[in-house]
Amino acid sequence: MGIEMNDRGPFDIPDIGPVVGSEFAEISVNVDSEANSTRLRLEDLRTGRVRYLDPLELETIIWLADGHLTELLDPSADRWRDRS
């Protein structure tokens, strides 16, 4: 995927929006207001998979103990598991 930069900096890409990236992942982060309430729209730019998080889910993530969050973020738990 080619990414074109604009004059707002390398992390705000036209037609994609703000991007948070590292050597492991590249995620576009936008606020979505199409549902009943405002929510965060996250898109994995490599796969196109989209996840919406509402304020309660975001608050839950903020309050998770570090150990529990580490378990949830382990990619071998779900993402890299063979699903065939």
Side-chain angles (χ1 to χ4, degrees):
M1 165 184 270
I3 296 178
E4 188 176 313
M5 305 300 175
N6 65 17
D7 60 351
R8 293 185 296 183
F11 305 108
D12 194 352
I13 300 166
D15 300 325
I16 294 176
V19 172
V20 177
S22 72
E23 66 270 33
F24 302 109
E26 225 168 22
I27 307 297
S28 72
V29 180
N30 290 285
V31 175
D32 177 78
S33 59
E34 298 294 319
N36 291 334
S37 65
T38 304
R39 58 192 179 164
L40 198 60
R41 181 184 187 278
L42 305 172
E43 180 177 355
D44 179 347
L45 295 179
R46 202 167 25 105
T47 66
R49 186 177 175 116
V50 174
R51 167 78 64 180
Y52 293 94
L53 296 174
D54 66 27
L56 180 59
E57 292 168 326
L58 292 169
E59 184 182 78
T60 301
I61 291 170
I62 291 169
W63 281 96
L64 281 174
D66 288 343
H68 194 176
L69 183 60
T70 300
E71 288 177 22
L72 291 174
L73 297 178
D74 178 3
S76 66
D78 286 312
R79 194 169 94 197
W80 295 340
R81 186 171 287 183
D82 183 15
R83 294 178 189 234
S84 57

